[in-house]
Amino acid sequence: MALTYAETRDAENLRLLDRLIDDFIKQCQRPDNPASPCARQTVFFFPGGMASRLTRATKKFVDGATGPRPPFVYKTVWVTPATFLGGARDLAMHRDSVGTFRDKGDRIIIADEAVGLGGCTPHDGLIDWAKNNNVDLFVFPWDWRRRLDETVTFFVRKFLPHFRTRVQTKGCPDPLARFALIGHSFGGMIANLILRGNDPIVQNLTNVITVATPFYGYSGQVHRWFEGEDYLNFFGLFEQDMMETIASLPGLYTLHYLDEQTFIANEAALRSGPYPIPDYPSTDETSTSVLADPYNPQTYGSLVRYPGLTGFDIAELDYAKLEFRTLASPMDPALLGKFHNIRGVKTESDQTTPVDNTVANVTWDWIPSNFDANDEPPIEDKKDVPGDGTQPAWTTCLVTNAARCVTVKSKNIDHAFMMNHAGVLEAIQRILCPEVGTVSPRETPEPEPASDQEVVEFLRWLSENVLTVREQNIESFDEPKFLELLGPTRR
């Protein structure tokens, strides 16, 4: 019987993850570290959005093909030098006649490892901590473009049984006898849904930890429908293409600010506590008393909220609203005791006084339905509040879980590098190793973030060398031939 596109993609996903499972087996075969009083356990970590590498098949999937199918060959599509030269358009998806989301050109895309640069990742601190504390860590790469429930179903129903069997076959004890989940940012949404599903295979799940996860949305996504992505627009040349590509990715529809119904149901709790929500975070540009609910777009005469020429999918928005409400809803009390939220708040140099550095709300103007990249974007960021620079503090704690919400305050908190921060690692340690007195995690040095000007200069250099990059078939920023081309002054 011929496998469907979805079945083939899942089978390929398992095949490509076997390499990471084999690396995990080497971990579990190591003896316990007697210097750490932490009990032996497995931890699955879900990186944040765009932090998993995506590889694309070199040939298209053929429907109805029977008999043994040779394994697909893959090339990295996210993220490489070519990604910034128009290659990001290959991330686009489309829905087939039976409703399955397929990849552009029916060339299967798989998340096969975490994004890294120069051998470093944004979660090296977590890796280092786990290595020293009897934690067998599996970093689970996931396709952040897809519907969240698809990723959850694959992880629970297909990956975990496959993972358990492969690990035990190599003589390791059951890796699911005691295990936990950690999710950073968007990855925390996956962990949230897995816990809520309460599948029999996760019955030994001890803890689920979200780090900087936006339970009630954030400002960044709504800009992308009208502006594309700055670093992928290639100085505006591909802006319309990127708007259309982004509109085709169903996973991103769950990142909006909360809908009005969720706001009303949680308003009292959201307005209380140390980091209250200022007000409903999305309002009309002209009449700020008028709510602009991202999940319930209205019309104003012939004017609309979302563009009509990019493929923006109202049906997918409705689907995402249901998923969003699940993520933000009160949790079964039997599961809630396992759920922990960690949020970051940047402070002054005193490590105590919060800094208002994170966008808290937007205003939204009406647009004509034929809006395109040549028009002025209708979204404007407004009030800043305490947070980690990307996620406001009020969105990163499920209000019905306040008893298990940990705030890490520090002058050097940065959303992208939360998993390297000693304060975050200490909070994780207290949850996963409650029997431990004090074992201080080591602070992992973080790279100095590039300034906007430095990024622009790099993209300009890349555009000037586009033919060389393509001719040499450079697939990674870490390739020696790319580093040689880049030169020591630009590294």
Side-chain angles (χ1 to χ4, degrees):
M1 180 183 295
L3 296 179
T4 65
Y5 187 92
E7 290 168 338
T8 302
R9 182 177 57 200
D10 285 353
E12 286 290 285
N13 204 343
L14 289 177
R15 181 177 72 84
L16 266 62
L17 289 176
D18 277 344
R19 174 177 58 86
L20 299 185
I21 297 175
D22 289 342
D23 289 341
F24 177 89
I25 290 169
K26 293 176 184 177
Q27 290 186 62
C28 72
Q29 290 174 337
R30 292 198 313 258
D32 288 359
N33 176 10
S36 173
C38 289
R40 196 74 182 247
Q41 59 190 297
T42 299
V43 171
F44 295 97
F45 172 64
F46 299 92
M50 299 190 288
S52 295
R53 186 176 79 171
L54 302 180
T55 57
R56 186 175 187 232
T58 56
K59 294 183 179 180
K60 69 176 293 184
F61 172 85
V62 177
D63 288 286
T66 57
R69 186 194 298 268
F72 288 96
V73 175
Y74 294 85
K75 289 190 175 182
T76 304
V77 64
W78 179 270
V79 57
T80 74
T83 304
F84 299 94
L85 301 171
R89 295 174 294 176
D90 288 335
L91 297 174
M93 304 182 77
H94 64 97
R95 204 191 306 250
D96 66 17
S97 60
V98 297
T100 298
F101 279 97
R102 297 193 181 202
D103 305 295
K104 182 179 179 180
D106 287 352
R107 288 167 57 182
I108 290 172
I109 288 180
I110 302 292
D112 69 339
E113 66 178 48
V115 167
L117 183 62
C120 301
T121 74
H123 50 266
D124 282 349
L126 178 67
I127 293 173
D128 190 42
W129 174 84
K131 198 175 294 183
N132 293 318
N133 286 284
N134 297 322
V135 171
D136 298 321
L137 181 68
F138 190 97
V139 178
F140 186 84
W142 61 286
D143 189 343
W144 36 268
R145 304 170 309 141
R146 294 172 60 183
R147 284 177 170 175
L148 302 186
D149 57 353
E150 289 183 0
T151 295
V152 169
T153 298
F154 171 77
F155 179 81
V156 171
R157 301 289 175 81
K158 297 191 175 182
F159 172 77
L160 284 183
H162 176 80
F163 170 81
R164 171 186 259 166
T165 298
R166 190 174 180 90
V167 170
Q168 289 187 295
T169 298
K170 296 296 183 178
C172 291
D174 182 1
L176 303 185
R178 176 181 177 177
F179 73 105
L181 309 178
I182 301 175
H184 174 233
S185 193
F186 202 6
M189 293 187 179
I190 300 297
N192 183 350
L193 288 176
I194 292 170
L195 177 60
R196 290 176 185 272
N198 199 27
D199 190 273
I201 202 169
V202 302
Q203 291 307 299
N204 292 329
L205 183 58
T206 58
N207 293 285
V208 173
I209 304 171
T210 65
V211 180
T213 294
F215 293 97
Y216 306 105
Y218 86 119
S219 66
Q221 179 54 39
V222 71
H223 283 275
R224 298 184 180 108
W225 308 125
F226 309 96
E227 304 169 29
E229 184 65 46
D230 277 350
Y231 298 153
L232 303 177
N233 291 343
F234 202 62
F235 304 104
L237 181 62
F238 301 134
E239 184 172 345
Q240 184 69 28
D241 291 344
M242 287 311 305
M243 289 162 57
E244 294 172 10
T245 297
I246 290 168
S248 76
L249 309 182
L252 305 188
Y253 285 71
T254 57
L255 289 169
H256 294 128
Y257 277 134
L258 70 173
D259 63 288
E260 184 180 3
Q261 179 177 314
T262 299
F263 176 72
I264 292 172
N266 296 278
E267 184 173 6
L270 283 166
R271 288 188 181 278
S272 63
Y275 305 104
I277 190 171
D279 212 329
Y280 187 75
S282 179
T283 57
D284 183 69
E285 172 70 25
T286 304
S287 304
T288 53
S289 61
V290 175
L291 306 188
D293 182 343
Y295 288 104
N296 186 27
Q298 304 293 306
T299 58
Y300 186 68
S302 62
L303 301 178
V304 296
R305 289 296 187 199
Y306 288 110
L309 299 180
T310 63
F312 186 89
D313 192 338
I314 294 296
E316 193 58 32
L317 184 68
D318 290 337
Y319 188 96
K321 177 168 66 175
L322 296 177
E323 196 156 62
F324 181 91
R325 286 178 173 172
T326 297
L327 287 160
S329 66
M331 190 176 286
D332 182 336
L335 302 176
L336 192 61
K338 300 179 180 181
F339 199 45
H340 308 267
N341 313 139
I342 299 175
R343 59 183 171 191
V345 172
K346 188 175 181 62
T347 69
E348 302 282 3
S349 57
D350 63 5
Q351 305 279 32
T352 301
T353 308
V355 175
D356 291 341
N357 72 326
T358 308
V359 175
N361 67 298
V362 299
T363 57
W364 194 337
D365 205 358
W366 298 102
I367 60 169
S369 59
N370 63 350
F371 176 96
D372 64 22
N374 295 313
D375 296 316
E376 191 69 23
I379 307 297
E380 287 192 19
D381 293 334
K382 295 297 181 179
K383 184 178 177 62
D384 285 345
V385 299
D388 60 26
T390 298
Q391 305 295 353
W394 58 258
T395 195
T396 47
C397 176
L398 185 68
V399 294
T400 52
N401 193 42
R404 281 166 294 279
C405 180
V406 179
T407 301
V408 177
K409 299 167 70 174
S410 173
K411 66 178 182 180
N412 62 346
I413 279 288
D414 182 275
H415 178 78
F417 299 103
M418 290 278 283
M419 303 310 303
N420 285 340
H421 194 279
V424 172
L425 297 175
E426 287 169 1
I428 290 172
Q429 181 174 280
R430 286 194 294 270
I431 296 166
L432 296 185
C433 306
E435 64 274 25
V436 176
T438 301
V439 179
S440 298
R442 187 171 62 199
E443 185 83 32
T444 301
E446 298 172 4
E448 185 70 26
S451 67
D452 289 344
Q453 183 59 37
E454 288 172 330
V455 173
V456 169
E457 289 175 0
F458 171 74
L459 293 177
R460 185 173 289 114
W461 174 86
L462 200 56
S463 68
E464 293 168 354
N465 292 272
V466 58
L467 293 180
T468 304
V469 170
R470 288 175 175 168
E471 286 171 359
Q472 296 191 23
N473 196 29
I474 294 172
E475 294 186 39
S476 168
F477 290 107
D478 293 332
E479 287 187 37
K481 55 186 175 181
F482 180 75
L483 296 176
E484 182 179 351
L485 181 66
L486 194 62
T489 59
R490 294 189 182 89
R491 294 181 190 173

